[in-house]
Structure formats: structure tokens, C-alpha cells
């Protein structure tokens, strides 16, 4: 069977061509393309291209009749049908147009559940109702009149434009789904009759294309992505965005898949949508073309995006996403901060290097933790969480729960990037479905050396890459010659929790870690020795230095909150520090989203703790009477402090150790325990 790709790319030297030349070439390609074994019938895009080129109707009508006989594809059926309506309005026979119009009554397309689905749905609905503005409700699939449909569609389009320009896209920077944002905007730009709608569509085209242009290297989308499929993660040119890079910027040669190998479904044509943009009449501004092609000077690009809408397990609807990309002529390094920012298809970080042929593929290096779970899916999808995993696997995402998958985010990862240096930290709890980390090392690496210092040095193209794993690993051979770095990761060993005095109701078990009795009480600036429960050979955490910050809420007086530094001390090791924080919300201490797990005993007990600027009347003031039940802090927080053996002393900046849990607490005016309550072990420090 022949290769399902073109025998040779169109425009082998695309940089020598103009946008007008590439525009005409892509229209001609789809106007002359014939059905083959991989795509047994022509699609609406080929039909529209033939109508646009005024080809004979005798060759067009048989293909169109086959398409109208079995409508399918939901919103992916809607947008090419709209294109055929408008392009063929003056050429198709009246009976064919009437048959096409009637299918908007008899076929009910699914609106979808993602951002690109809704944009395709409402842009197509707006345009088809614009063509038949006076048709009543009984002539439409949803039982609404054309005017009602237009009002609803325009309302969503205005909402999406406002949300995207203010807070970013939810499906941000997706090499696979970029075509399904450019396509509805191109249709609105080409066929919307309202000048305001057409103008906003043109502005959004500029906005989305400029956002795409700055993150491309030789036409390949580089960096971190919200959604991408496994195959085009490794062979980046297979994404539909590469064909748009050729059309708009003349970078990578035009070489579309004859059939999309990712999702071979009816009407699903990411590469073919380039013809829709070409027929729309849109041309990119010159400044955007220069942004996409000028790589003479390395630059750092920082962006803020957002997650898609969260419906469970989150205090915010759209969490911010912070994306960083460092671009050079030879390579690009990109990342987001880590965590579950998108379900199923997140791509957190990577290094992508330039090659002589962008279609060579496999020019990328990255790592991931293959996480999956009902909580991740339930956060973003409305169905019953425990049923979602099976539903996702059956719906074209069959690698989601596999241990060897190459896409997906993890709640146990954090990423920090400075220019072209990336630090990726994983803290995977014991009992997680898969407790290992996978690293992708391509077959195209020309050199790979494992130094005895622990560094792995590799060369891809003209770029040298140094990778330092913080845990033991082994190599596994992948099909095609790729290598997988397999690192069985374990969470840092925690001490066993113990209770003090009699059992009672307690706000959180994490407050009852008992530190080693022999540990002295160090100062905040003193370097702490390794905990006694860590043997020299015990696995260590990815980061061995930390800083915790307690963020206070508002007091009853309504004053603004201020951060309370609890402790800052380096543990044994030289790994970079990681900023952590916890928030006081309501009656308990809970970790803030996208940060590391709760603190250990070492974090809380084995330090000297300070309370800066705790004065009467401050928004975070904590005062106590002899009953210990008055002040600005929630009672549960005071209980946690007392259960740990810590109470805040009044009129002092230092936290003092009180009597063991279960005894009453009394604080004198001078902030010291009464003489009869002082004990030698309290003066010695943490026990």
C-alpha cells in the first residue's frame, strides 16, 4: 500500500514564494484532488474548492450527492456545509440548495463539550441563519427561529472574544486544534454581513495567528500545549498547524496527510481547513510574518493563559496558566508551571530542535508522569467521575490510562524555567497508579553520553542538551529506535504519625507528626541535619530545600491579609529551592492548588518560628485570654497550633512552646507561660 502522504511537498522552497502564490496553490491542490483508497470520497472542502474554481458541475454533483446522503460529524459537518452553501450559492441548482437547506432541519448536530467545538458550532449557526434570516422555528433542528439562533450565536461569540482577549484561551496553543479556531474566524471574516462581526473576526484572526507565530520554529509549533495527540507529539509536522505555517508564513513545506492519521473520521480535516482560510480572502499582516520567520536573535516569550472551565474539585473556575518559551534559531524550550491544567492531552514541557527537513520528525525531548484518574476527568467533565475513564478510553483517547503514554499532565509535578534551563520536580505519593517518570529520547539524537557525574548529554541537530535525572533510571527501547528513560520514583519517606495524649477530634492529621526526640531546636538560619528517619541510602525528594508561607485571611475588622513567614531553612542537599505556600481558609489549613503536598514534621517542628509584626489591631493579629479562645485566627487554627505544642505568645514576636496537648493553656501578660507550667523539655525545644 502506498504512503498516505504526498509523493513530494508542494513548494519545496516555500520561502521563495509569496502568500498569494501559496494561497492559490492550496486552493488548486484541493480543487484537483481525487478520491483514493485512504479517503474513498471527496469532502465538502474539495467540493467547495471546485466550486470556487468554477469547475464543471457534472463532476461536482455526484460527490455532493454522496455527502448529502449521510450527514455526519456534528460541528465538523456544520462548518464545511456552510462553506459549500456560500461558495455554491450562485452555481448549484435550486433543488440541490433546497436539499442542503433541509438538512439543517432533519439533522441535529451535537454542540460538543470543548472550546473549539462551541466556536465551530456557533460561528456556523450564525452564518447559516444569516443566509435564511426569516425562516421560522419549525425549519431548524433546535426549534428556534433564525433570528433567535443568530442572537444566541452572536452572544457566545462576543463572550468568547472577550474571555480570550482578557484571560486567554482555554485550549491554548494546541498544534492539533489551532485549525479549528482559525476556520470559524475565517468563515465569519469571509461571509458575515454585519461590519462589526466581520471586523472582530479579522482582529481575532490577527490575535490567534500572532500568538501562534511567536512559538514556531521552522513552521513547527514548539513549547507547552493544552492539547496534543501522541503521534504528532513526536512527529510535530503531522499537526494541522504546520500546514497553516506554510500558508501564512512560508516556513515548512506544504505536505498534508491525505487522511488525518490522528482521528480518521468523516469531515475531520485539520490540514484541509487551510483551503478555507485561503478562500476567505484573509492575508496576514507583514509584522506577523516577520514575527514567525525572524529567529536571528534569541528571545524569551512569557504568556498567561487559563484552564478550561472547572466544575469540581477547584476553588476557581479558570485557573491561570503561566507559559514560558525560549526561542533560538537552533532550538526552542517551552514549559508551563505543571499540575493538572488540562485533562488527558496536556504537554507540560519540551526541548525541540531544528532539523534540515521539518518533516523528519522525532526532534523533541521531554519527560512526564503518566497520571490518570477520575478526579482529573471529573474536574473538567460533567459526567459521573468514576465512569469517565472508561468513556475517555472508548472515545479516541485509548492511551489515557496506559503507563507508556506520551501525553498528559500530573498533579505531582512542578516546573520552573529560566531562559533555556528547566527544572522539573515530581513528588509522587506511594499508591499512585503509576509511580514512575518517563523521558523521551529520540532516535534522531546524533550523540548521547551518560557522564559519571549523573548528567546525560545529547545532541539533536545543532543543539546540545544536558539532562540530569534526580532519581535512578533504566533505558527501555521503543518501536522505531526511540529510547525511554524509565525512572521508578518514590515519594520521600515520611515519619509515622503519632498521637499525643488521648484521642480527640482534630482538624488535620498532618499536624501530629512527631519529630525525633534527640533533635535540637535550630535557628531559622541554621542548616538542619538530615532527619533521623532518613538513612543514607533512602530515596530523597526531587527538591531538598523548601520555604513555606502561611497566608492569613481577613480579620473580623476586614483588614487586608499579609503573608506570615513560618520558616525558611535548607535541608541536606543542593537542589534549587522550591517556593511552597499554604492558605488558611475557614477553619483549617489546606494546601493551595497546584502546589506540593502538606508539610512534614521537619517543616514545622525542627525550626525556630517567628511571627513578624503581630500587633494589636493588625489584620492577622492573634490574641488569647486565659481561655485561649479570643482573637482573629479561626479556632481550628488555634487548635492545630496547640496540638502541635505551639501557641502564639502575646506581645512577642517569637512562637513559644506550650504544655503538651490535652493540658489547659494560659498565657501571662508578658507572653510567657506561668512559672508552674514551664517545663524543661519545653525550654529545650521540639520533642
Amino acid at each position: 500500500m502506498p504512503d498516505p502522504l504526498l509523493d513530494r511537498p508542494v513548494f519545496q522552497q516555500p520561502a521563495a514564494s509569496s502568500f498569494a502564490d501559496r494561497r492559490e496553490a492550496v486552493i488548486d491542490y484541493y480543487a484537483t484532488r481525487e478520491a483514493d483508497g485512504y479517503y474513498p470520497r471527496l469532502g465538502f472542502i474539495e467540493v467547495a474548492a471546485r466550486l470556487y474554481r468554477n469547475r464543471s458541475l457534472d463532476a461536482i454533483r455526484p460527490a455532493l450527492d454522496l455527502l448529502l446522503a449521510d450527514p455526519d460529524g456534528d460541528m465538523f459537518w456544520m462548518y464545511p456545509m456552510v462553506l459549500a452553501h456560500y461558495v455554491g450559492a450562485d452555481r448549484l441548482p435550486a433543488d440541490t440548495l433546497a436539499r442542503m437547506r433541509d438538512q439543517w432541519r432533519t439533522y441535529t448536530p451535537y454542540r460538543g463539550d470543548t472550546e473549539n467545538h462551541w466556536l465551530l458550532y456557533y460561528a456556523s449557526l450564525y452564518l447559516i441563519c444569516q443566509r435564511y434570516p426569516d425562516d421560522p422555528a419549525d425549519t431548524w433542528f433546535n426549534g428556534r427561529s433564525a433570528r433567535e439562533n443568530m442572537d444566541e450565536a452572536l452572544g457566545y461569540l462576543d463572550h468568547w472574544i472577550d474571555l480570550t482577549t482578557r484571560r486567554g484561551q482555554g485550549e491554548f496553543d494546541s498544534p492539533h486544534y489551532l485549525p479549528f479556531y482559525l476556520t470559524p474566524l475565517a468563515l465569519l471574516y469571509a461571509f458575515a454581513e454585519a461590519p462589526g462581526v466581520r471586523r472582530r473576526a479579522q482582529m481575532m484572526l490577527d490575535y490567534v495567528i500572532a500568538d501562534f507565530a511567536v512559538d514556531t520554529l521552522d513552521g513547527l509549533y514548539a513549547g507547552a500545549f493544552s492539547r496534543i495527540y501522541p503521534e504528532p507529539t513526536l512527529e510535530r509536522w503531522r499537526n494541522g498547524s504546520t500546514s497553516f505555517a506554510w500558508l501564512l508564513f512560508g516556513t515548512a513545506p506544504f505536505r498534508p496527510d491525505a487522511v488525518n492519521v490522528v482521528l480518521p473520521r468523516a469531515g475531520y480535516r485539520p490540514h484541509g481547513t487551510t483551503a478555507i482560510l485561503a478562500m476567505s480572502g484573509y492575508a496576514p499582516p507583514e509584522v506577523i510574518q516577520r514575527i514567525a520567520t525572524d529567529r536571528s536573535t534569541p528571545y524569551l516569550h512569557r504568556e498567561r493563559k487559563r484552564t478550561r472551565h472547572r466544575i469540581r474539585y477547584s476553588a476557581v473556575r479558570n485557573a491561570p496558566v503561566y507559559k514560558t518559551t525560549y526561542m533560538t534559531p537552533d532550538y526552542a524550550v517551552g514549559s508551563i508551571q505543571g499540575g493538572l491544567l488540562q485533562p488527558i492531552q496536556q504537554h507540560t514541557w519540551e526541548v525541540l530542535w531544528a532539523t534540515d527537513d521539518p518533516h523528519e520528525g522525532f526532534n523533541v525531548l521531554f519527560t512526564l508522569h503518566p497520571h490518570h484518574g477520575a478526579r482529573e476527568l471529573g474536574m473538567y467533565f460533567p459526567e459521573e467521575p468514576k465512569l469517565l475513564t472508561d468513556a475517555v478510553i472508548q472515545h479516541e483517547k485509548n492511551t489515557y490510562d496506559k503507563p507508556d503514554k506520551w501525553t498528559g499532565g500530573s498533579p505531582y509535578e512542578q516546573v520552573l524555567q529560566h531562559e533555556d534551563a528547566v527544572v522539573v520536580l515530581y513528588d509522587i505519593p506511594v499508591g499512585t497508579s503509576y509511580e514512575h517518570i518517563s523521558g523521551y529520547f529520540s532516535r534522531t539524537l546524533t550523540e548521547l553520553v551518560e557522564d559519571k557525574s549523573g548528567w546525560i548529554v545529547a545532541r539533536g541537530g545543532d543543539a546540545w542538551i544536558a539532562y540530569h535525572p534526580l532519581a535512578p533510571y533504566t533505558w527501555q527501547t521503543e518501536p522505531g529506535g526511540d529510547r525511554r528513560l524509565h525512572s521508578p520514583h518514590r515519594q520521600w519517606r515520611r515519619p509515622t504519625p503519632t498521637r499525643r495524649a488521648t484521642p480527640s477530634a482534630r482538624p488535620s492529621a498532618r499536624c501530629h507528626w512527631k519529630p525525633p526526640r534527640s533533635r535540637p531546636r535550630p535557628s531559622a538560619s541554621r542548616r538542619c541535619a538530615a532527619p533521623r528517619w532518613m538513612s543514607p541510602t533512602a530515596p530523597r525528594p526531587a527538591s531538598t530545600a523548601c520555604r513555606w508561607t502561611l497566608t492569613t485571611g481577613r480579620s473580623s475588622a476586614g483588614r487586608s491579609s499579609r503573608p506570615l513567614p513560618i520558616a525558611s531553612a535548607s535541608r541536606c542537599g543542593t537542589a534549587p529551592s522550591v517556593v511552597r505556600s499554604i492558605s488558611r481558609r475557614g477553619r483549617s489549613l489546606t494546601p493551595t492548588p497546584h502546589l506540593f503536598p502538606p508539610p512534614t514534621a521537619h517543616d514545622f517542628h525542627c525550626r525556630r518560628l517567628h511571627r513578624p509584626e503581630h500587633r494589636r489591631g493588625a489584620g492577622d493579629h492573634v490574641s488569647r485570654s486565659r481561655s485561649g479562645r479570643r482573637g482573629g485566627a479561626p479556632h481550628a487554627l488555634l487548635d492545630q497550633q496547640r496540638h502541635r505544642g505551639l501557641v502564639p505568645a502575646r506581645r512577642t514576636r517569637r512562637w513559644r512552646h506550650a504544655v503538651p496537648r490535652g493540658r489547659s493553656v494560659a498565657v501571662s501578660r508578658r507572653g510567657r507561660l506561668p512559672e508552674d507550667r514551664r517545663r524543661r523539655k519545653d525550654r529545650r525545644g521540639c520533642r
Side-chain angles (χ1 to χ4, degrees):
M1 182 175 289
D3 191 343
L5 309 175
L6 293 178
D7 293 334
R8 60 183 180 85
V10 179
F11 281 120
Q12 184 67 44
Q13 301 295 330
S17 62
S18 65
F19 173 77
D21 294 336
R22 297 190 298 271
R23 175 181 175 273
E24 296 301 315
V26 73
I27 297 174
D28 287 339
Y29 170 73
Y30 285 101
T32 57
R33 184 180 176 277
E34 299 294 340
D36 53 35
Y38 296 96
Y39 201 76
R41 63 180 184 180
L42 299 178
F44 279 111
I45 292 176
E46 284 83 2
V47 170
R50 284 165 166 78
L51 290 170
Y52 188 87
R53 288 296 192 213
N54 293 318
R55 299 296 169 83
S56 171
L57 289 179
D58 294 337
I60 296 174
R61 290 196 64 175
L64 187 57
D65 289 340
L66 286 175
L67 293 170
L68 297 179
D70 184 23
D72 185 31
D74 301 308
M75 74 293 297
F76 298 109
W77 168 87
M78 295 174 71
Y79 75 82
M81 183 65 133
V82 167
L83 177 68
H85 265 282
Y86 278 92
V87 175
D90 299 329
R91 296 203 60 218
L92 291 174
D95 60 332
T96 302
L97 289 172
R99 185 182 176 190
M100 294 169 65
R101 168 63 185 90
D102 190 58
Q103 289 200 341
W104 292 91
R105 177 186 64 85
T106 58
Y107 176 64
T108 302
Y110 172 50
R111 185 175 60 174
D113 58 359
T114 65
E115 190 177 358
N116 75 86
H117 289 174
W118 284 39
L119 186 60
L120 287 167
Y121 178 92
Y122 281 115
S124 302
L125 186 64
Y126 176 86
L127 291 173
I128 197 63
C129 290
Q130 174 187 267
R131 180 155 181 79
Y132 305 98
D134 299 324
D135 286 8
D138 58 359
T139 62
W140 297 99
F141 64 90
N142 57 8
R144 296 187 181 95
S145 67
R147 297 293 182 184
E148 292 173 328
N149 283 329
M150 289 181 67
D151 291 342
E152 179 185 354
L154 192 59
Y156 175 78
L157 294 172
D158 289 342
H159 161 76
W160 177 79
I161 292 172
D162 181 71
L163 181 61
T164 299
T165 53
R166 288 177 181 269
R167 302 188 62 188
Q169 284 182 262
E171 290 181 327
F172 58 88
D173 298 338
S174 174
H176 182 81
Y177 288 100
L178 174 72
F180 301 120
Y181 287 95
L182 298 180
T183 295
L185 294 173
L187 290 172
L188 290 170
Y189 173 76
F191 304 120
E193 297 174 358
V197 176
R198 191 172 189 271
R199 174 61 177 160
R200 297 188 79 184
Q202 180 185 13
M203 295 171 69
M204 287 305 297
L205 280 170
D206 293 343
Y207 179 90
V208 175
I209 292 173
D211 186 57
F212 165 52
V214 73
D215 290 337
T216 60
L217 180 63
D218 294 339
L220 304 181
Y221 221 146
F225 312 122
S226 61
R227 299 187 65 187
I228 190 170
Y229 285 85
E231 297 89 348
T233 299
L234 309 182
E235 296 183 88
R236 193 61 50 82
W237 71 270
R238 287 190 179 275
N239 291 282
S241 60
T242 309
S243 292
F244 277 90
W246 166 80
L247 172 63
L248 294 166
F249 316 132
T251 47
F254 180 53
R255 191 179 182 183
D257 288 347
V259 178
N260 186 265
V261 298
V262 178
L263 296 175
R265 64 168 70 151
Y268 198 82
R269 310 284 297 283
H271 293 270
T273 54
T274 53
I276 298 178
L277 184 64
M279 288 184 279
S280 70
Y282 172 83
E286 181 182 356
V287 64
I288 297 181
Q289 297 189 49
R290 292 173 59 189
I291 291 173
T293 56
D294 185 2
R295 297 292 179 266
S296 58
T297 303
Y299 60 85
L300 183 67
H301 183 221
R302 293 190 177 97
E303 310 172 72
R304 190 185 73 171
K305 308 293 186 179
R306 63 175 175 87
T307 64
R308 62 190 294 178
H309 297 327
R310 292 175 169 180
I311 60 177
R312 299 185 188 96
Y313 314 131
S314 178
V316 294
R317 187 182 189 190
N318 302 110
V321 178
Y322 302 102
K323 181 181 175 183
T324 305
T325 305
Y326 185 79
M327 187 69 65
T328 75
D330 299 320
Y331 63 90
V333 182
S335 68
I336 51 181
Q337 74 263 33
L340 292 178
L341 305 176
Q342 290 291 327
I344 309 171
Q345 298 171 296
Q346 177 178 316
H347 187 61
T348 304
W349 78 275
E350 73 171 16
V351 179
L352 182 140
W353 57 89
T355 60
D356 294 335
D357 181 9
H359 298 110
E360 178 182 347
F362 307 103
N363 54 332
V364 64
L365 184 148
F366 61 91
T367 64
L368 82 163
H369 167 230
H371 173 267
H372 71 94
R375 186 179 181 88
E376 172 188 356
L377 300 176
M379 184 182 294
Y380 295 101
F381 297 105
E383 292 81 3
E384 175 63 31
K386 61 186 178 182
L387 303 177
L388 278 169
T389 299
D390 291 338
V392 165
I393 294 171
Q394 296 171 9
H395 186 67
E396 300 164 339
K397 312 291 192 304
N398 55 7
T399 64
Y400 173 63
D401 64 341
K402 299 296 189 294
D404 58 349
K405 65 179 182 177
W406 286 124
T407 57
S410 171
Y412 312 120
E413 66 182 2
Q414 277 197 331
V415 182
L416 174 67
Q417 178 175 346
H418 175 69
E419 295 184 350
D420 57 354
V422 179
V423 179
V424 186
L425 305 174
Y426 299 91
D427 194 4
I428 306 172
V430 175
T432 306
S433 298
Y434 304 122
E435 300 179 14
H436 67 272
I437 298 168
S438 294
Y440 177 76
F441 285 74
S442 169
R443 68 191 72 173
T444 63
L445 291 171
T446 55
E447 296 185 46
L448 193 149
V449 178
E450 297 178 80
D451 189 75
K452 62 181 180 181
S453 64
W455 286 94
I456 301 173
V457 181
R459 181 179 179 181
D462 292 332
W464 286 95
I465 307 167
Y467 177 85
H468 193 294
L470 299 179
Y473 63 90
T474 58
W475 292 107
Q476 298 178 357
T477 302
E478 295 286 299
D482 298 325
R483 292 209 279 181
R484 178 188 297 267
L485 183 144
H486 181 82
S487 177
H489 179 82
R490 293 293 183 272
Q491 187 184 35
W492 186 33
R493 189 173 300 168
R494 309 285 190 184
T496 304
T498 60
R499 295 178 182 270
R500 301 179 189 175
T502 58
S504 61
R506 59 187 185 182
S508 175
R510 73 176 69 112
C511 300
H512 301 283
W513 300 118
K514 186 176 180 180
R517 295 181 60 85
S518 61
R519 174 163 304 284
R521 179 183 176 186
S523 65
S525 60
R526 177 180 172 185
R527 188 175 181 84
C528 297
R532 210 172 77 181
W533 56 81
M534 282 189 63
S535 67
T537 59
R540 292 167 53 185
S543 172
T544 55
C546 67
R547 179 180 177 87
W548 284 85
T549 302
L550 176 66
T551 305
T552 64
R554 290 181 177 269
S555 68
S556 57
R559 295 180 176 88
S560 61
S561 61
R562 294 197 303 272
L564 285 171
I566 290 184
S568 179
S570 296
R571 296 188 191 141
C572 295
T574 59
S577 297
V578 178
V579 178
R580 305 179 183 179
S581 62
I582 54 178
S583 297
R584 192 178 71 197
R585 296 177 180 170
R587 297 177 61 86
S588 64
L589 284 170
T590 56
T592 55
H594 309 311
L595 296 171
F596 272 78
T600 65
H602 189 63
D603 294 317
F604 277 118
H605 287 269
C606 301
R607 318 213 178 141
R608 178 170 298 184
L609 308 176
H610 297 272
R611 301 177 64 235
E613 300 181 9
H614 272 226
R615 306 190 185 281
R616 186 181 300 277
D620 51 5
H621 175 66
V622 178
S623 62
R624 290 192 182 191
S625 64
R626 286 187 177 272
S627 64
R629 286 293 185 181
R630 186 167 61 85
H635 292 170
L637 178 60
L638 303 181
D639 292 341
Q640 290 180 357
Q641 296 161 356
R642 186 174 61 180
H643 292 334
R644 294 200 303 267
L646 301 172
V647 294
R650 190 177 179 184
R651 294 185 180 181
T652 181
R653 294 169 62 93
R654 179 170 295 177
W655 288 65
R656 297 186 180 277
H657 288 262
V659 296
R661 178 184 171 210
R663 302 284 298 275
S664 61
V665 177
V667 182
S668 68
R669 280 186 171 272
R670 295 185 179 181
R672 302 179 64 187
L673 293 175
E675 188 64 31
D676 59 340
R677 295 289 176 89
R678 291 188 222 152
R679 298 190 179 187
R680 182 179 179 185
K681 67 177 181 180
D682 298 324
R683 293 195 298 270
R684 288 179 58 188
C686 297
R687 305 291 287 177

